[in-house]
Amino acid sequence: MIAGQKPELTTAQKGKTTIYRTVRDGVWYALMLVKDSTWNPVEGQTYELKLERVENTRVLATVESFTRNGNELLVRLVVHDSVEPVLYMRTCQAELGDYVQSLMVPKRAIYTQDNMTGVVVLDGANQLFVPVNILLEDGGNVYISAITQGLLYEGQTVMLF
C-alpha cells in the first residue's frame, strides 16, 4: 500500500518493486517478553542485553517502560549504540542482566562492625574496615562488592576471623 492505495502494477512488475526502509543509527529499541513474573523492572535502570543470534553482541539497554498483563511482562528497552548488528533481526532469544563486579573471599573474612558487614583489609601494619554488600554465598566462599567503589581490589590481604 502506498498512501493507503494499492499501487497500479502489471503482472510483470509484481514482486519486483524495491521497498526501502529508513533506519536511524545510534538509537534503537528492543521489546522483550519476559518469562519471569516476579521481576519488577525500574524505569531508567540500565542492564546488559545479550542477543542470542549475534555472537558477542552485548549492549547496554535502559528500561524505557514496561507493561504487565497477568503473568506476562513486556519491557521496552532503548539502546544508544549502533543498530548494525541487529539490522536484519526480527526476533531472537535474549538475556538481560546486571553487570556486577565482585570479589571472592573466604566466608571467615566477613566481619560485622557497628551493624555493618565488611572485611578488614591489611595494609602493612594498618587495618582498614571496608563495608561490603554480600552478593552470593557459595560453600565456604562469599562474593562481595565494596559499598564505596575503589576501596577493594584483587590482590589485597584480608583478615580471617
Side-chain angles (χ1 to χ4, degrees), residues 3-78:
Q5 300 295 318
K6 192 173 181 181
E8 299 283 333
L9 296 177
T10 65
T11 306
Q13 292 175 314
K14 287 184 180 180
K16 294 186 180 183
T17 303
T18 304
I19 298 175
Y20 298 95
R21 61 186 163 135
T22 303
V23 176
R24 185 176 61 201
D25 195 21
V27 177
W28 51 277
Y29 295 86
L31 296 174
M32 288 189 71
L33 191 55
V34 180
K35 294 178 183 177
D36 184 356
S37 62
T38 62
W39 181 49
N40 291 308
V42 176
E43 291 182 10
Q45 178 73 34
T46 301
Y47 297 97
E48 184 181 64
L49 176 63
K50 177 184 169 191
L51 303 171
E52 100 176 333
R53 288 194 204 165
V54 186
E55 217 171 287
N56 297 322
T57 295
R58 295 170 188 257
V59 293
L60 294 179
T62 303
V63 176
E64 186 159 285
S65 62
F66 64 93
T67 303
R68 186 179 302 278
N69 185 8
N71 288 335
E72 293 183 333
L73 176 66
L74 179 67
V75 181
R76 184 176 187 217
L77 303 162
V78 61

Side-chain angles (χ1 to χ4, degrees), residues 30-139:
L31 296 174
M32 288 189 71
L33 191 55
V34 180
K35 294 178 183 177
D36 184 356
S37 62
T38 62
W39 181 49
N40 291 308
V42 176
E43 291 182 10
Q45 178 73 34
T46 301
Y47 297 97
E48 184 181 64
L49 176 63
K50 177 184 169 191
L51 303 171
E52 100 176 333
R53 288 194 204 165
V54 186
E55 217 171 287
N56 297 322
T57 295
R58 295 170 188 257
V59 293
L60 294 179
T62 303
V63 176
E64 186 159 285
S65 62
F66 64 93
T67 303
R68 186 179 302 278
N69 185 8
N71 288 335
E72 293 183 333
L73 176 66
L74 179 67
V75 181
R76 184 176 187 217
L77 303 162
V78 61
V79 177
H80 295 276
D81 207 339
S82 175
V83 73
E84 208 170 305
V86 296
L87 192 57
Y88 298 105
M89 188 181 301
R90 296 291 176 255
T91 63
C92 73
Q93 296 289 322
E95 291 179 16
L96 190 65
D98 280 325
Y99 175 76
V100 178
Q101 188 171 4
S102 66
L103 295 169
M104 182 181 69
V105 295
K107 194 172 187 173
R108 293 179 33 212
I110 301 300
Y111 183 74
T112 302
Q113 176 179 306
D114 298 329
N115 292 325
M116 293 177 61
T117 303
V119 294
V120 178
V121 177
L122 298 175
D123 184 20
N126 299 323
Q127 298 178 358
L128 173 66
F129 177 76
V130 179
V132 299
N133 290 319
I134 296 177
L135 305 172
L136 175 71
E137 290 188 32
D138 184 24

